[in-house]
Amino acid sequence: MTVLFLLQKLLVPKYMDNPVEGRFIKEYYEEDNKDFDVLFLGDCEVYESFSPPKLWEEYGINSYIRGSANQYIWQSYYLLEDTLRYNTPKVCVFNVLSMKYDHSTNEAYNRMTLDGMEWSQIKAKSIIASMRDEEHFTEYVFPILRYHDRWDELDKNDVKYMFKEQPGATYNGYYMRTDVKAANPFGEGKPLADYDFDDRCWRYLDMIRMSCEVNDIELVLVKAPTLYPYWYEEWDRNIESYAENYGLTYINFYDVNDEVGIDYNTDTYDGGLHLNLSGAEKMSSYIGEILLEAGAEDRRGEEALSDIWGKKLAKYHEQAGN
Amino acid sequence: MTYLSYGFAVFLMFGLIAYYTLPSVFQWKILLILSVLFYIFQGKSGFVFVAATVIITWSGGVLLDKKRDNNSVSPALLIICSFANVFMLLLMKSLFHFSKGDILLPLGIAFYTLMAVGYLIDVRREAVMPQKNIAKLALYLLYFPHIVIGPISRYDDVCESLFSEKKWNKDNFFYGVRRIIWGAFKKLVIANRIMPIVEEISGDPGRYKGAYILVLMFLYAIELYADFSGGIDVVLGVSAMFGIRLKENFLRPYFSKSLAEYWRRWHISMSSWFRDYMFYPISTSEPMQKLSRNLRKQNRTLARKVPVYLSLILVWLATGLWHGVALNYVAWGLLNGLLLILFKELEGIRAGKEKQRNKYLAVAFTFFITSSLKLFDCYDGLGAFAAFGTMITKFNYNIIMNGGLLVAGASVYDYVVIAAGCVMIFLSSLAARERSISERIEGLPVFARVFLWGTLIIICVVFGVYGIGYEKADFIYNRF
C-alpha cells in the first residue's frame, strides 16, 4: 500500500508546464487567510478577466477567483459550497458563459477542476455531476488508476513535487498573461435551432442563487467581453430576464466596453479569446465600484491583511514588469 | 461489466459475502442469482436465447432419460434438441456476421451451446444422470465465471462442486486471488498493450505489408494467448473463490512440438469437446465404417486413414463455424484440418532418432504455423492469404529498426514492456513444467510471497493498459 501511495504521488500530474491550469483550484486551500469578501466563479473568462491584486490596490477589496479551465456551472455551484466550508463572502461574481454547457465535454477539464478540490461530500457530488460515461468514481478516489500510464512521460517536476509544495501559479486565482496579440474578427455565430439554455443549467443557476440568498451573499452575474465563444443576443436576453426576475445585477461587459475601455488590439493575448493583464486591470477598475456597492469593503486599514497583500503585490508587479 | 472492471469487483465482493454468510443450503441459488444478474448487467438482450437453451436442454435431458430404452425416439430426441441449440447458435452467428455486428450475439452463446449439447449427449450415453431441477441446469449453463470465455465445462466435472454446500476455505480463496492477479497481468499489461498495434496493422492491409505481417503474426499470437489465458486465469480464480475448481484450458501451448500437440494444449476444453462429441462419434459411425470397408477392398492404408481424415476435416469445419459463420473462420478450420493431416503423414517419414535433436526447431516451427493460422482472425474473407503472401513479396524488414513499428501510438517503452512481460510468462511457464508456479511461490517465506505478489499487483496497476480509452477492451473470446 505504501508503494502504491508513493507511486500515486509520483504519477499524478503536477501541471508545472502547459497546462498550468490544473493547479488553480488547489491553490485556494494554501491561503492562510481565506476571509475573502468577494468570490469569483467561472471558467477562463473569469481567471483571465479580473485581477484580485488590482482590486485590492485600487479598492481594498479582498477577493479570490475560484476559476478553472472550462469550469461547468455545476462545478461552480459545488465550488461555492466548498468555499462556504471556510468562509462566507459578501459578494459572489459568476460568469455566465458556462450556461451553454449542459454536460461535461472533456475529461481533462473535469480533472483540472476536480482533482484540486479537497475531499468532502461536496467534492464527491461535484464528481458525480461531472463524470462522463467513460469515467469512474473509483479513479477519482484513487488517481493512480487514472494516471498510471504517465510512467513513460515522467519528468523531474514529477519527482520534485511529490511532496514539496508547488509555487503559486496565480494571484488569488488570477492567471497573469502580459503578452499581446491583437484580436482577429470572429464574425457572428451560426444560427442555432434553440437558444434556450438546458434545464440542468437553469437548475444549477437557481442553486447558486439560492445558496447566495441563504448565506446572505450578493450574487452578481457577469459576461466577460471575450470575442469567442460567440455570446448570442438571445442568450443574453435570457440571462437579463433571469437577473431582472430575481433582482440580480447582470453586467454584460460587451455593453459597457466604452466605459471599461477594452482595446482589442492591446488588451488580449490570444487574439480576443482571453484578456491579458492590461485588460484584466481595466475590468477590475470598472467592477470594483460595483463590488463595493454590492457589499464588499475597503479593508486596506487591516494591518494583517495589508501585510499579506503587500507581499503578493510585490511579486505581482515584478512579474508584470512595473 | 467485464471481469476486470470496477463494477465486477463490487459485484464479486457482494456475491462472495452473500455466498459465505447466508445459510450454505442457499449457495447454489445465490450462484444462480449472481449468474442471472451478471448476464443482465452485461447489457445483452440475448437472455431469451439462453433461457430457450436452458428449457430445451433441461426438457431434452428429462425426456432422454424417460425414453432411454426407446431406440427410435431417443436418438431423434437427441438430434432435435441438439439441433435446436446449434441452430440458434448458427442463426445468431450468421445474423451477427451479415449485419456487420449490428445484431449482437447473445453473451456466451458459443460456449453454453456446446455445454448444452455435450450434456444431452452425456445423458443419452448414460454418462451422467439428467438434472431434474431446471434451476440447477440453468446454473450449470449460466454459471457466470465460465459463460463469457469458457472453459467449456462438462456437466460431470462441475455438477457436484456447483451444487454442494461449501465452507469458506482460505486456500481456495487466496489461490483464486493469485490466479486473478496473474490473469490481470497477462490481460492488462501484455494483451491490452499489443491490441492497438494489431488493430492498426490488420485494419489497413493496403498500407501494412511484408514485415508488418510477420510482426502482426507474432504479436497477435502473444496477444491472443495473454488475453485468452489471462481471462481463463481470472475465470478460474473467481470460481475458486467460491470453492469451485474449473479445469485448466491452457497448458503452455507455445511449447508444443506439433500442431496436434498444440491442440491438446490450447483451448483444451474446446478441442476435447469436438474430439469427444464430434470426431469420435463421426469417425466410428456406420457411414464411416462402411466407407472403410469399401476402401479396404482397394487399399488397407486408405481404409484406415480416409475415414479418420474425413472426420477430421468435418470436425475442423465445424470448429471454424463455431468461431464464426464467415469465410475466414471456415478457411481457418479447414486449414487446421489439412495441416494436421499433412503433418501426420510427414511424421512417419522422419526417423525417430532425429526427433530429439529437432525439439527446439519443432517448437519454433509449430509456433510459426499456429501464428500464421491466427492471421485468419485478423482479416476478413481470405485476406490472410494475401497478407501472408506479402511477407515474401515485400522486403521491408528495416521497419523493425527504423521506427516503423511505432504505430497506433506505441512507443519503444511499450515494446520493452511487452518483451519483459513475455519473458515473465516464458520463465513462469518453464518453471511450471514440473510444479505449478503458485505452489512454488507458496513454498517461499511469507515476506518473499508478499513481495512477489505485491510487485505483480503494482506492475498491473502501473503498467496495465486500462481506464479512459480502453473500456472497450473486452476479452477477445467475448465475441464468440
Side-chain angles (χ1 to χ4, degrees):
Chain A
M1 294 302 288
T2 308
V3 174
L4 284 171
F5 171 74
L6 290 171
L7 283 169
Q8 179 166 284
K9 280 295 212 182
L10 176 66
L11 290 164
V12 293
K14 310 304 184 295
Y15 298 109
M16 289 303 294
D17 300 313
N18 192 28
V20 299
E21 285 87 338
R23 283 152 61 189
F24 292 2
I25 293 295
K26 192 174 145 199
E27 283 186 7
Y28 172 79
Y29 302 103
E30 289 156 17
E31 294 287 331
D32 292 325
N33 185 338
K34 294 183 180 59
D35 180 23
F36 301 110
D37 279 2
V38 178
L39 172 71
F40 290 87
L41 295 170
D43 54 19
C44 50
E45 288 197 347
V46 151
Y47 65 70
E48 300 278 30
S49 299
F50 301 100
S51 168
K54 181 68 173 172
L55 282 170
W56 172 263
E57 226 174 16
E58 202 168 314
Y59 296 100
I61 293 174
N62 192 24
S63 63
Y64 199 97
I65 302 173
R66 293 207 78 182
S68 54
N70 220 44
Q71 187 181 106
Y72 304 107
I73 187 169
W74 48 90
Q75 292 169 346
S76 300
Y77 167 71
Y78 288 113
L79 280 166
L80 169 62
E81 294 297 303
D82 183 64
T83 306
L84 291 173
R85 292 164 62 218
Y86 295 95
N87 164 59
T88 303
K90 294 189 170 63
V91 185
C92 175
V93 180
F94 172 63
N95 188 58
V96 294
L97 177 66
S98 57
M99 287 290 287
K100 75 195 263 306
Y101 298 105
D102 61 358
H103 64 280
S104 298
T105 59
N106 187 301
E107 184 255 353
Y109 288 136
N110 275 348
R111 283 290 178 172
M112 285 197 275
T113 298
L114 297 166
D115 279 349
M117 284 180 80
E118 267 184 5
W119 269 104
S120 66
Q121 209 178 35
I122 295 165
K123 173 170 174 167
K125 287 179 183 174
S126 191
I127 291 170
I128 292 165
S130 303
M131 277 195 310
R132 292 173 53 79
D133 287 345
E134 66 269 24
E135 296 187 79
H136 291 280
F137 189 82
T138 315
E139 289 172 356
Y140 280 92
V141 177
F142 303 108
I144 190 172
L145 295 174
R146 173 60 188 90
Y147 298 116
H148 63 94
D149 53 0
R150 290 193 68 242
W151 61 270
D152 60 354
E153 58 187 61
L154 294 173
D155 61 26
K156 61 180 187 314
N157 284 323
D158 286 301
V159 180
K160 188 175 174 187
Y161 295 109
M162 269 175 78
F163 296 101
K164 191 178 170 193
E165 199 176 289
Q166 292 172 262
T170 69
Y171 297 94
N172 283 37
Y174 168 63
Y175 182 53
M176 185 191 292
R177 289 291 294 259
T178 54
D179 39 333
V180 179
K181 183 181 175 189
N184 296 313
F186 284 96
E188 285 193 14
K190 290 179 189 161
L192 302 178
D194 181 5
Y195 291 95
D196 197 9
F197 296 122
D198 192 85
D199 286 347
R200 188 183 192 213
C201 299
W202 285 121
R203 191 168 74 248
Y204 274 100
L205 186 57
D206 278 340
M207 287 160 74
I208 290 174
R209 175 180 57 77
M210 287 189 289
S211 182
C212 287
E213 273 175 25
V214 160
N215 290 285
D216 203 23
I217 303 168
E218 185 71 23
L219 177 63
V220 175
L221 305 178
V222 298
K223 174 65 189 77
T226 54
L227 300 181
Y228 186 86
Y230 187 75
W231 183 249
Y232 293 88
E233 274 189 33
E234 290 85 349
W235 287 352
D236 199 58
R237 282 200 288 273
N238 288 340
I239 299 295
E240 266 182 5
S241 275
Y242 184 88
E244 199 179 307
N245 207 22
Y246 292 103
L248 303 173
T249 303
Y250 170 52
I251 311 167
N252 181 342
F253 279 90
Y254 298 116
D255 296 340
V256 296
N257 200 29
D258 287 345
E259 295 165 55
V260 178
I262 296 293
D263 180 347
Y264 290 99
N265 290 314
T266 58
D267 293 336
T268 163
Y269 71 83
D270 56 4
L273 275 74
H274 302 93
L275 300 182
N276 60 14
L277 175 63
S278 170
E281 290 196 335
K282 288 177 185 174
M283 292 277 287
S284 304
S285 290
Y286 179 86
I287 203 174
E289 288 281 357
I290 296 167
L291 294 175
L292 286 174
E293 282 168 23
E297 290 175 4
D298 182 342
R299 297 171 66 181
R300 281 174 284 195
E302 294 179 30
E303 197 177 322
L305 197 54
S306 291
D307 278 344
I308 291 171
W309 271 111
K311 293 185 183 103
K312 288 184 180 183
L313 281 168
K315 281 187 188 166
Y316 177 81
H317 287 300
E318 188 186 356
Q319 186 178 345
N322 56 28
Chain B
M1 181 168 65
T2 67
Y3 289 130
L4 292 175
S5 65
Y6 305 119
F8 183 76
V10 173
F11 171 86
L12 181 63
M13 183 180 73
F14 282 112
L16 285 165
I17 290 170
Y19 191 74
Y20 286 114
T21 56
L22 294 174
S24 55
V25 69
F26 294 123
Q27 280 178 337
W28 72 265
K29 291 176 180 138
I30 291 167
L31 282 180
L32 177 61
I33 292 169
L34 288 172
S35 300
V36 171
L37 286 174
F38 179 80
Y39 205 94
I40 293 167
F41 284 159
Q42 293 283 21
K44 304 284 183 179
S45 56
F47 196 75
V48 66
F49 291 94
V50 73
T53 297
V54 168
I55 292 167
I56 290 167
T57 309
W58 171 77
S59 48
V62 167
L63 285 170
L64 276 169
D65 187 48
K66 280 190 179 156
K67 301 290 178 188
R68 192 174 295 287
D69 298 325
N70 189 325
N71 285 334
S72 57
V73 170
S74 184
L77 255 177
L78 176 63
I79 290 168
I80 291 167
C81 293
S82 301
F83 179 76
N85 285 325
V86 173
F87 174 76
M88 278 193 287
L89 170 65
L90 292 176
L91 173 67
M92 294 313 296
K93 288 270 190 185
S94 304
L95 288 174
F96 174 76
H97 172 70
F98 291 110
S99 72
K100 297 191 193 310
D102 281 345
I103 297 176
L104 296 175
L105 281 175
L107 178 72
I109 189 169
F111 295 96
Y112 68 69
T113 299
L114 290 194
M115 285 167 56
V117 172
Y119 164 78
L120 288 168
I121 294 172
D122 283 341
V123 169
R124 167 93 170 94
R125 286 174 179 172
E126 296 182 59
V128 302
M129 291 301 295
Q131 177 52 254
K132 300 282 171 66
N133 185 328
I134 191 171
K136 285 186 174 178
L137 187 72
L139 173 57
Y140 162 62
L141 293 175
L142 272 170
Y143 181 50
F144 74 93
H146 71 194
I147 192 167
V148 180
I149 58 170
I152 301 164
S153 303
R154 308 276 177 106
Y155 181 76
D156 201 29
D157 289 335
V158 296
C159 59
E160 192 184 323
S161 188
L162 270 180
F163 309 136
S164 62
E165 294 173 22
K166 290 171 273 299
K167 285 190 168 51
W168 188 75
N169 179 289
K170 185 184 80 166
D171 291 338
N172 277 341
F173 186 86
F174 286 107
Y175 167 81
V177 170
R178 294 192 299 269
R179 260 331 259 270
I180 291 171
I181 295 170
W182 183 237
F185 163 72
K186 285 198 254 180
K187 167 64 176 166
L188 298 178
V189 178
I190 302 173
N192 281 6
R193 180 164 262 101
I194 297 175
M195 192 182 295
I197 305 170
V198 162
E199 283 183 352
E200 171 72 17
I201 295 174
S202 62
D204 196 347
R207 183 177 170 188
Y208 296 107
K209 298 178 184 183
Y212 282 109
I213 307 306
L214 186 68
V215 169
L216 171 69
M217 259 168 54
F218 293 141
L219 280 180
Y220 185 61
I222 297 165
E223 181 201 340
L224 188 59
Y225 174 71
D227 190 290
F228 198 2
S229 71
I232 292 294
D233 285 324
V234 173
V235 163
L236 266 57
V238 168
S239 193
M241 291 170 94
F242 288 94
I244 297 161
R245 292 284 184 123
L246 300 176
K247 284 202 161 173
E248 296 291 340
N249 215 17
F250 292 88
L251 201 59
R252 300 180 299 283
Y254 291 147
F255 284 59
S256 302
K257 294 184 283 299
S258 69
L259 187 58
E261 185 185 355
Y262 171 82
W263 282 113
R264 291 193 293 274
R265 291 169 174 264
W266 176 282
H267 203 175
I268 298 167
S269 62
M270 180 205 75
S271 47
S272 64
W273 192 98
F274 278 101
R275 179 196 64 209
D276 295 341
Y277 295 110
M278 267 198 84
F279 177 73
Y280 287 147
I282 292 175
S283 61
T284 57
S285 65
E286 183 51 39
M288 287 298 175
Q289 286 183 25
K290 190 176 174 187
L291 175 64
S292 179
R293 283 194 295 271
N294 289 339
L295 286 170
R296 196 169 294 129
K297 297 168 193 168
Q298 298 162 31
N299 185 309
R300 293 179 80 85
T301 304
L302 280 180
R304 195 177 69 245
K305 289 186 178 179
V306 168
V308 170
Y309 290 169
L310 193 55
S311 305
L312 200 66
I313 293 294
L314 287 172
V315 165
W316 277 102
L317 176 62
T319 310
L321 287 170
W322 179 80
H323 282 80
V325 178
L327 190 53
N328 57 319
Y329 292 117
V330 172
W332 170 85
L334 288 175
L335 258 184
N336 264 286
L338 289 169
L339 284 171
L340 281 165
I341 292 168
L342 174 67
F343 293 141
K344 181 74 183 165
E345 289 299 305
L346 290 174
E347 229 178 62
I349 296 171
R350 283 180 298 141
K353 61 183 176 185
E354 286 199 24
K355 283 185 186 173
Q356 186 59 32
R357 218 184 301 159
N358 289 329
K359 182 172 75 171
Y360 299 108
L361 214 60
V363 168
F365 179 70
T366 303
F367 181 69
F368 181 82
I369 291 294
T370 55
S371 303
S372 307
L373 288 167
K374 288 181 176 64
L375 275 180
F376 284 91
D377 209 11
C378 299
Y379 295 96
D380 290 335
L382 301 177
F385 284 117
F388 191 87
T390 68
M391 279 201 288
I392 308 160
T393 59
K394 189 163 176 73
F395 280 78
N396 57 344
Y397 290 84
N398 58 329
I399 59 158
I400 294 165
M401 299 307 293
N402 71 359
L405 291 178
L406 301 180
V407 299
S411 67
V412 171
Y413 294 123
D414 286 310
Y415 283 99
V416 169
V417 172
I418 291 166
C422 288
V423 167
M424 281 174 70
I425 293 178
F426 177 73
L427 291 175
S428 72
S429 295
L430 274 182
R433 283 180 305 174
E434 286 153 36
R435 210 168 124 216
S436 84
I437 288 294
S438 208
E439 280 171 31
R440 283 175 183 269
I441 294 176
E442 286 314 289
L444 296 173
V446 171
F447 75 87
R449 278 186 267 146
V450 168
F451 175 77
L452 283 170
W453 290 111
T455 303
L456 198 56
I457 291 170
I458 289 168
I459 290 173
C460 290
V461 170
V462 176
F463 296 105
V465 172
Y466 59 90
I468 300 277
Y470 300 106
E471 296 303 325
K472 296 187 189 112
D474 280 343
F475 289 98
I476 292 173
Y477 261 74
N478 260 36
R479 61 176 195 246
F480 301 111

